Amino acid sequence: MFYGLLIVAAISIVSFAIGSYSDVKKRTVKTYLFIPLVVSGLVFDYISSVPSEILIIAALAFIFTFIRTEIYLYAILGIAIMMVSFVSVVYIGIFYGFTLIFISFIFLLGYTEKLFGIGDIKGIIAALVSMAALPISTAQRFSTMSSIFPLTFLIILNLGFISILVFPYVGMINRKEFGRMYFVYSPYKEGLNPVKYSIKTFGEKKYSAYRIPFMVPIFLTVVITYISYFFGGLF
């Protein structure tokens, strides 16, 4: 099983490395990039005795990300997955139920792609699926925590922390372009690289918004979480 985990971890790191490079260069990620990770993750989860119900729901959540995000069906499916996730906590247990709740929450964040692009959503869900069978740490001092929280709990915490660091990064990028640190929206400016900046309109006023290559923080999160798991640390 350990070698199976190494294979999944390698596929995960390679997939996110490719996704990060594409996101930095083009601000897009290939639609089917994370299918190998999801498939290998589901196989590993099955071998690790993850309940079939969990695997089916997780697989469906990933498949549903290929639906157009701006239609109501996407939101309805997300709510349905979340409801099933809460039920799974009661009937299957907190350990696997937590993972489904995280998956459903991330899925819903993809609705209309206001906060995250669908490529980011696919990537995060793929990472959660690939780690569903793992405890939060291999270290003995975390044995009690490991029996309650899956590694997916740690990846969400790490992602939240690293995402906070994105704001000062955006501020520095905007300071170079505008002479002042803007953390979200910048004054509208013509001639900006359309790959790196989008135009947002609020009322009659236009703003420039730096397109964050969010695949990079996800990649860093995955690497840090695997390091944490293999070396028995909690970070």
Side-chain angles (χ1 to χ4, degrees):
M1 190 172 75
F2 177 73
Y3 292 107
L5 173 58
L6 288 181
I7 292 173
V8 173
I11 293 174
S12 179
I13 291 172
V14 170
S15 298
F16 283 106
I18 294 172
S20 297
Y21 179 82
S22 177
D23 206 11
V24 169
K25 291 294 184 179
K26 305 176 182 178
R27 294 303 193 271
T28 60
V29 178
K30 293 292 185 182
T31 304
Y32 302 101
L33 176 62
F34 297 106
I35 290 180
L37 176 57
V38 170
V39 172
S40 61
L42 288 172
V43 171
F44 175 75
D45 293 343
Y46 178 78
I47 295 173
S48 303
S49 301
V50 175
S52 299
E53 299 91 336
I54 300 295
L55 300 182
I56 292 171
I57 298 169
L60 288 174
F62 182 77
I63 292 171
F64 291 157
T65 60
F66 289 88
I67 296 174
R68 288 166 50 195
T69 59
E70 73 275 11
I71 61 177
Y72 289 125
L73 177 61
Y74 185 96
I76 292 171
L77 290 172
I79 293 171
I81 294 171
M82 180 164 283
M83 292 175 63
V84 173
S85 300
F86 281 110
V87 172
S88 70
V89 171
V90 177
Y91 290 96
I92 298 178
I94 294 176
F95 188 87
Y96 296 118
F98 260 139
T99 298
L100 281 188
I101 290 174
F102 291 145
I103 288 175
S104 63
F105 178 71
I106 295 300
F107 182 91
L108 283 170
L109 288 180
Y111 180 56
T112 70
E113 299 184 60
K114 293 289 187 182
L115 296 176
F116 297 96
I118 195 61
D120 300 328
I121 299 299
K122 292 177 190 289
I124 298 173
I125 291 178
L128 293 174
V129 169
S130 67
M131 298 182 183
L134 304 176
I136 201 167
S137 176
T138 56
Q140 291 298 317
R141 61 184 178 277
F142 300 125
S143 58
T144 301
M145 187 177 292
S146 296
S147 66
I148 300 174
F149 297 106
L151 194 62
T152 50
F153 179 75
L154 184 56
I155 199 172
I156 292 296
L157 291 182
N158 287 337
L159 182 60
F161 174 73
I162 294 176
S163 296
I164 293 174
L165 300 180
V166 168
F167 290 99
Y169 167 77
V170 172
M172 288 186 290
I173 293 292
N174 284 330
R175 183 176 182 178
K176 184 178 180 180
E177 184 68 47
F178 298 93
R180 181 178 173 183
M181 294 185 73
Y182 295 98
F183 298 103
V184 182
Y185 298 116
S186 311
Y188 175 70
K189 182 178 179 180
E190 294 185 358
L192 293 175
N193 187 334
V195 173
K196 296 183 177 181
Y197 282 89
S198 62
I199 300 173
K200 301 293 183 181
T201 303
F202 298 99
E204 298 180 354
K205 195 168 184 179
K206 292 182 179 180
Y207 295 89
S208 298
Y210 183 74
R211 298 178 187 268
I212 300 170
F214 201 76
M215 193 57 61
V216 175
I218 301 174
F219 173 50
L220 293 176
T221 295
V222 169
V223 172
I224 289 173
T225 303
Y226 271 122
I227 290 175
S228 175
Y229 178 79
F230 284 120
F231 289 92
L234 187 61
F235 62 91

